[in-house]
Amino acid sequence: MVNLKFYKYQATGNDFILIDNRTLKLQLDQPQIQKLCDRKFGIGSDGLILIQDHPDSDFEMVFYNPDGSQSLCGNGSRCAVNFASFLGIFQGSTRFLAFDGEHQADILPDGQVRLKMGDVQNVRLMADGMFIDTGSPHLIKYVINVQNYRVYDEGKAIRNGGLFKEAGVNVNFVQITGDSEIFVRTYERGVENETLSCGTGVTAAAIASSHKGLNSPVTVNTQGGTLTVEYTQISNDNYSDIYLTGPAEKVFEGTIELN
């Protein structure tokens, strides 16, 4: 039995467990991750993040989905940046390692975190919508009234069916609400439910909307709050200088007994 120190962060309603693992003493297995993320039997979260030392970066962010799988998480990365700053690992700007490689980030004067995402070089038009990989795979579907859309039912069916049955996919339902503004709701694989916000999904939706005539920067509203996505469009399927900006805040901290 171990008393585990943890911190809880949220980024536009996407919530995460953050653990300082720079000593590398903590080795979590899948059942432990699942229990910690469980909202009734654990702390409850959309993911778990370990902050670890890395020889070539300020730190390494190791991210787990609630089912124990790994991927890039945009909102989780912004929380990790805020947490690493709280730990005194850096001030102002940082370079860190994540699931898909190295990222840069800045904490802005207003406290928001501006995260540089990886380049996007493959936008695919499909029968079900538009597929974009922003460090995690996303399908974009445009709908008329996103607030009343059956996100859970439709998202679950797409995530578990057709071409995506084996690997799964995050499904983003998008409504264009202005010249450079969209509203996004996301069904996330790994969470297996709708989340209040998804950073990589918001990024994918903003990039996809360039095909609908929207220009950077794009204001993205979610159930949990508002983010901004900037990008440079090189061609129809090639984007660089992609930045995701929004709040990332500590909610509380505590300890939990871990078997």
Side-chain angles (χ1 to χ4, degrees):
M1 188 79 70
V2 176
N3 280 326
L4 177 64
K5 175 72 174 181
F6 71 88
Y7 297 78
K8 185 75 175 288
Y9 275 69
Q10 66 86 19
T12 53
N14 217 182
D15 61 337
F16 306 96
I17 300 164
L18 278 292
I19 298 171
D20 180 3
N21 196 37
R22 287 176 291 171
T23 63
L24 292 177
K25 290 182 179 179
L26 183 64
Q27 301 290 331
L28 295 173
D29 58 27
Q30 186 178 30
Q32 288 173 324
I33 293 166
Q34 292 172 332
K35 184 174 182 179
L36 289 169
C37 293
D38 191 284
R39 296 192 183 277
K40 294 191 170 56
F41 297 100
I43 300 165
S45 71
D46 293 329
L48 184 147
I49 297 168
L50 302 178
I51 298 298
Q52 300 182 170
D53 286 331
H54 191 272
D56 301 318
S57 300
D58 291 332
F59 65 94
E60 181 179 7
M61 164 194 164
V62 181
F63 174 78
Y64 295 97
N65 290 302
D67 65 357
S69 62
Q70 291 187 267
S71 65
L72 175 69
C73 180
N75 284 334
S77 294
R78 294 190 302 103
C79 287
V81 168
N82 202 328
F83 181 54
S85 177
F86 166 77
L87 294 175
I89 295 174
F90 75 94
Q91 290 185 345
S93 300
T94 185
R95 291 166 53 250
F96 68 97
L97 188 67
F99 182 78
D100 66 334
E102 189 175 83
H103 289 264
Q104 300 172 15
D106 300 286
I107 298 181
L108 304 180
D110 63 359
Q112 294 199 90
V113 178
R114 185 172 185 255
L115 171 70
K116 186 173 185 181
M117 306 289 285
D119 293 347
V120 169
Q121 298 175 333
N122 187 5
V123 178
R124 285 189 284 158
L125 297 177
M126 307 181 70
D128 280 341
M130 191 177 299
F131 179 86
I132 300 177
D133 194 317
T134 51
S136 291
H138 288 272
L139 185 73
I140 310 300
K141 289 181 65 70
Y142 290 92
V143 298
I144 301 298
N145 188 349
V146 71
Q147 291 284 24
N148 294 324
Y149 202 79
R150 298 167 65 244
V151 169
Y152 177 80
D153 293 334
E154 295 296 325
K156 182 178 180 180
I158 294 170
R159 179 259 186 267
N160 291 295
L163 293 173
F164 306 110
K165 186 173 184 179
E166 184 174 347
V169 71
N170 302 285
V171 188
N172 303 271
F173 301 92
V174 182
Q175 180 179 355
I176 297 173
T177 55
D179 290 341
S180 291
E181 187 172 8
I182 58 177
F183 200 110
V184 181
R185 293 176 64 188
T186 303
Y187 180 96
E188 284 200 58
R189 68 169 191 174
V191 180
E192 306 309 331
N193 207 338
E194 180 181 5
T195 55
L196 294 181
S197 176
C198 173
T200 54
V202 159
T203 304
I207 288 172
S209 294
S210 67
H211 289 250
K212 298 287 188 178
L214 277 67
N215 296 313
S216 173
V218 179
T219 298
V220 186
N221 298 302
T222 70
Q223 301 280 56
T226 301
L227 301 112
T228 303
V229 177
E230 307 160 67
Y231 57 83
T232 298
Q233 183 175 1
I234 299 171
S235 65
N236 281 340
D237 61 357
N238 194 348
Y239 297 77
S240 65
D241 299 321
I242 304 167
Y243 291 89
L244 172 68
T245 303
E249 303 169 345
K250 185 173 83 168
V251 182
F252 63 89
E253 59 186 86
T255 58
I256 188 171
E257 289 186 347
L258 182 66
N259 292 322

